[in-house]
Amino acid sequence: MSRCRQCARLAAFRDEIKDRHPEYYCRPVPMFGDESARLVIVGLAPGLHGANATGRPFTGDYAGILLYETLHRLGIANRAQSLAVGDGLVLTGARITNAVKCVPPANRPTAEEIRTCAPYLNVELAALPEGGVIMALGRIAHEAVLRAFGAPLARHRFAHGARHEVAGRIMWDSYHCSRYNTQTRRLTATMFEEVLRAAAREVS
């Protein structure tokens, strides 16, 4: 995956950013966390100056602030901040990934790019045993998870706090912990913690 250039637009954008910021990671961002985890958190895509720069999901950008603070509060992360690879952050019982592994322009992958990247997410989710739990951050992640398991989208509507049974796994939906959602109060820290706590409680 680390050398994937199947999406011409995304590959070109990564090259452009790498020219401007040679120190940035600028490659497909791998999954992070406990390899034996039974809880997988799925986001949208790496942030331009976050995961795309650091090489770790939700690290170095605004969206990661609420995510890692909440994981720490629930005892899943050993610290409340994710600053950089090698900062000592450890997750217990959880892994974090994205539906699209490369940073997209304006944080908006195309439908074709989501489909092209799907096999990587499918492999990650296939490793989650039955009884495992998925937390989907936003509609795109929600739909990507359903497609990974061949589940019909029409039977599983996205809604914040919604719970779905999918191919022997449980999926919980949450609004994405983006700057827009948190600053407009569409998603509050309390709302986010309630869903993540519910998902973590179901891990068998």
Side-chain angles (χ1 to χ4, degrees), residues 17-110:
I17 300 306
K18 189 69 171 177
D19 287 342
R20 297 207 304 263
H21 300 279
E23 74 280 13
Y24 277 19
Y25 182 77
C26 290
R27 298 195 297 277
V29 176
M31 202 175 204
F32 166 67
D34 185 345
E35 293 187 1
S36 62
R38 298 178 68 84
L39 170 64
V40 174
I41 299 167
V42 183
L44 170 57
L48 177 59
H49 301 297
N52 176 66
T54 62
R56 181 198 284 168
F58 290 89
T59 298
D61 60 14
Y62 189 90
I65 295 174
L66 178 57
L67 175 59
Y68 286 106
E69 284 180 350
T70 307
L71 289 171
H72 181 253
R73 194 174 300 116
L74 298 182
I76 295 170
N78 68 332
R79 55 183 61 194
Q81 291 182 307
S82 180
L83 303 175
V85 172
D87 62 5
L89 176 66
V90 176
L91 302 184
T92 301
R95 300 191 81 186
I96 304 173
T97 191
N98 281 304
V100 176
K101 310 305 181 185
C102 293
V103 58
N107 201 36
R108 293 182 180 178
T110 65

Side-chain angles (χ1 to χ4, degrees), residues 9-10 19 32 90 111 123 174:
R9 187 182 77 118
L10 300 189
D19 287 342
F32 166 67
V90 176
V123 169
S174 172

